[in-house]
Amino acid sequence: MKTRKRQPLRWVLLALATLWMVVIVPLSAAAAPYAAMVIDARSGKVLHSRNADTRLHPASLTKMMTLYVVFEAVENGEISLDDTITISRHAASEPPSKLGLKAGQRIKLRYLIRAAAVKSANDAATALGEAIEGSEARFARRMTRTAKALGMTRTTFKNAHGLTESGHLSTARDMTALGRHLFYDYPEYYNLFSRVQTSAGIRNVSNTNRRLLGAYKGADGIKTGYTRAAGFNLVASAERGNERIIATVFGGRSSHSRNAKVAELLDLGFSRAPRRVAVNKPARPPYYGKMGGGSGDTPGGISKTVRLASAAAVKKSLRPSARPLTETATLVAEADVTPTPTLPNVVQDDIQQALEQAIELKPETPETVASEETVVAAATPVTDADRPDPVLASVKPAARPKDLVLAALPAADPEPQVVTRVSTSGGRNWGINVGRYPSEYKARKVLLKTALSELGTLDDALRKVVERRGGYDANFMGLTRETADLACRRLQAKQVTCFMVDPGS
């Protein structure tokens, strides 16, 4: 009797086991098909591909586009790295991996960027999207629009973090192209992806890609990703000598096997790439600004006002039109200057505010009055015809005294407009930092390049590389506080990351 009772149970277990082996296991294996792509980053030439155009789940590779759009927004003045973001209930509720943000918590944008890039935090990615576009869905449409502008024709985004969602798909080819654009379009932010550990404001976070970064010579990024539907994904970049290779893998079976495969593909890339080849940087996409009232998936979904404003911001220097100034009274009388009509209102307001502050801070001493004509000359804008590069070039007066420094403008929203006043301090114990880099060579290279682009303020500065945990800081030292402030503002106007280093650092 006992044997008869057990027979049905045995048949049920056998049927379940058969179902598992025949149906469920094959389905789970098929859910994450393999795809790969290897390119020479310098030229964009394809060195290897397999299933590169198959649309698959990108997982957290998605955050590469999230960060690309954020970098674009910061560069074009939509938001600042030091803006404080209030975390929504939706962002706080995202599943791991996460930073652990709470609803209502306030945190600076720069820390959300670090958490998304290094920790691959889903809550930080969603908060970034909401900060830029007001909602994650709207931000996802902007991500898709940007993808199309980059030539990623088989990519559609539905969220900012990459968790599996119907229709949220990309390809190995598209993600490889995105990795290349991140490297060339925003080099000042690229070092984020090589940080083994960094501060995200509320706590330190470790890089999800630290094993490959530590094990493969020359590896310096870019992004990992994993979901059950996607498998273990990775876009990796490595540099050896003058060569740079980008390799992408979709559908790895484990992080270990994925890393081993990526290392194999990078080796293949270095073996096939020519030692010397002309660098052919990818063309940057046009800037369309915030989403308009349309569908948002194409540039046609952008409002006419946004398109006109963004076009003006790119084609015009962010300075008022030139006007003759002959004496100090002219500066005071014409402080209320109306900038070029095509510039956005926010730029007009900042220019007027900067001029007003320069007037209020002007010291009323005999020495100041004696040199006031020089100050006026330094503050006088020039025409676009006189400026070879209207966005990046610094304006220098013909005979500028060495002690001219920047007026104390609000630190939270720096703009390209530069106004100067007479220095009241002579201490040269301040400095500026222009980034942290994975090698001393790269830090020195950036210092030299920056010094050549900003001779007006950094010509006499001491270039110093300081080894820190996680990289090498590129610093300019031996500056007065005012000169350091002026140098940083001019560099920020050229989209160069910069912050001041005080004497106690």
Side-chain angles (χ1 to χ4, degrees), residues 351-367:
I351 292 172
Q352 181 174 340
Q353 181 183 13
L355 289 172
E356 291 172 352
Q357 289 179 340
I359 296 168
E360 293 173 0
L361 293 171
K362 175 171 58 65
E364 299 180 356
T365 65
E367 293 80 4

Side-chain angles (χ1 to χ4, degrees), residues 190-363:
Y190 183 76
N191 71 87
L192 280 170
F193 301 103
S194 64
R195 297 184 185 181
V196 175
Q197 190 178 65
T198 191
S199 170
I202 62 174
R203 65 188 179 93
N204 288 339
V205 293
S206 297
N207 200 313
T208 58
N209 195 29
R210 59 188 179 275
R211 290 183 179 176
L212 182 71
L213 292 173
Y216 192 85
K217 180 183 177 182
D220 57 11
I222 304 178
K223 191 73 192 70
T224 62
Y226 169 77
T227 61
R228 181 173 298 177
F232 291 84
N233 298 350
L234 175 60
V235 177
S237 178
E239 183 180 46
R240 291 181 180 176
N242 295 321
E243 302 173 32
R244 175 171 288 276
I245 302 298
I246 298 176
T248 298
V249 164
F250 275 63
R253 298 307 181 195
S254 68
S255 61
H256 177 75
S257 64
R258 173 200 63 193
N259 290 353
K261 187 62 180 179
V262 167
E264 176 187 329
L265 292 175
L266 288 171
D267 286 343
L268 180 148
F270 282 117
S271 68
R272 293 184 178 180
R275 295 194 62 181
R276 297 188 179 276
V277 66
V279 176
N280 181 24
K281 296 181 180 180
R284 291 187 66 169
Y287 169 65
Y288 296 115
K290 289 184 177 294
M291 296 300 297
S295 66
D297 287 344
T298 64
I302 308 161
S303 68
K304 182 179 180 181
T305 304
V306 171
R307 287 200 302 270
L308 291 176
S310 63
V314 171
K315 295 179 181 178
K316 292 288 186 180
S317 170
L318 302 184
R319 291 180 170 86
S321 302
R323 64 184 188 279
L325 292 176
T326 57
E327 56 185 13
T328 305
T330 309
L331 177 61
V332 178
E334 298 185 4
D336 186 13
V337 178
T338 303
T340 307
T342 57
L343 294 179
N345 290 335
V346 65
V347 177
Q348 300 179 18
D349 296 341
D350 288 345
I351 292 172
Q352 181 174 340
Q353 181 183 13
L355 289 172
E356 291 172 352
Q357 289 179 340
I359 296 168
E360 293 173 0
L361 293 171
K362 175 171 58 65

Side-chain angles (χ1 to χ4, degrees), residues 425-430 478-482:
S425 172
R428 289 186 171 271
N429 50 2
W430 285 76
L479 302 170
T480 65
R481 177 171 183 168
E482 293 87 351

